[in-house]
Amino acid sequence: MHGVDPTPGSAQPMEVTMNQDQKDRMATGRGFVAALDQSGGSTPKALRAYGIPDDAYDNDDEMFKLVHQMRTRIITSPSFTEEHILAAILFERTMDNTVDDVPTAQFLWERKRIVPFLKVDKGLGEEAHGVKLMKPIPDLDKLLDRAVAKGIFGTKMRSVIAHHDAQGIKAIVDQQFELGAQILAKGLVPILEPEADITATDREASEQVLHDQLASHLDDLAEGQQVMFKVSIPLKDDLYADLIDDPRVLRVVALSGGFSRDEACERLARNHGLIASFSRALSEGLSVDDSPEDFDGKLEASINKIAAASLT
């Protein structure tokens, strides 16, 4: 368990308890995961959807300041609570930033009892064999050490399956588990996210190969190790039911993947035990111009709908 000082006589029981509480919450809690991890490439689109045009900022620092204000507004909303939100995935700059002058991960857990995760990937490489692997992650060990020090519970990293190609899908899962082992060694729980493009005409075949590869790779885990999976909502309902029930899998969550919130929730509700990890679908309809009452009301309605779909 990360965060524990192994030196005799210097244990930190409060921190040990907190981390076990986080693990228990992720394993059995009712609710879903809020993905607040838009990175440099996806932030402009998120800001535009929120009502902030590209010409409202002149550089990355100004852009990230604006998106942190948006995330802070979501996190501090009265409707963003442990009742329906199990965890939140943060971008690295968000982890390094504060909410109400408290480090973001600390705020989430201590003020909201929401488990903090960190996005660690650095984007996607060029497509080959029908997939986009993750780019190299330089200094991953140093990033993980910082995450542990800041109270992060786990990580998330994304790659993409564009078309059905068994060789490519195996390469994606190989890479996800290889980096997952590095993350597990730091005492963090990795969310492995091999997203299947929902627009692909051969997606059902890709998802079956992906399922089989994920199931096979679970045998590589050491005794007692657990991972999480983040997948596209599958075309075949309950495709991942056996993985959801596998004791080596802490939780299986689903991205909205480009579906509207209504369609994503309708599809999610057909998959027993699969819970949401939505980003765009969570913030859909929110605007920088909303009054506090309107913003909180819209967010509450969104959260309630996604939580209900995650209870199947």
Side-chain angles (χ1 to χ4, degrees), residues 193-267:
E193 183 185 7
E195 175 184 348
D197 186 340
I198 63 168
T199 66
T201 56
D202 53 6
R203 177 160 71 100
E204 188 167 6
S206 292
E207 289 177 337
Q208 186 60 58
V209 174
L210 173 62
H211 165 277
D212 295 346
Q213 283 292 329
L214 293 175
S216 174
H217 277 69
L218 285 174
D219 292 333
D220 297 336
L221 296 177
E223 181 75 22
Q225 288 186 329
Q226 289 180 302
V227 297
M228 292 176 59
F229 295 132
K230 181 169 179 175
V231 295
S232 303
I233 304 169
L235 281 172
K236 180 181 177 182
D237 293 345
D238 287 329
L239 174 64
Y240 298 110
D242 58 330
L243 301 183
I244 291 168
D245 290 337
D246 194 301
R248 297 167 295 184
V249 180
L250 185 62
R251 209 78 189 239
V252 182
V253 303
L255 58 139
S256 52
F259 291 123
S260 69
R261 179 166 57 231
D262 286 347
E263 185 171 3
C265 287
E266 189 274 328
R267 289 172 177 268

Side-chain angles (χ1 to χ4, degrees), residues 132-146:
K132 294 181 180 179
L133 295 173
M134 289 177 282
K135 292 178 180 177
I137 309 175
D139 299 323
L140 177 58
D141 273 339
K142 291 180 180 178
L143 176 59
L144 297 176
D145 287 340
R146 286 203 296 117

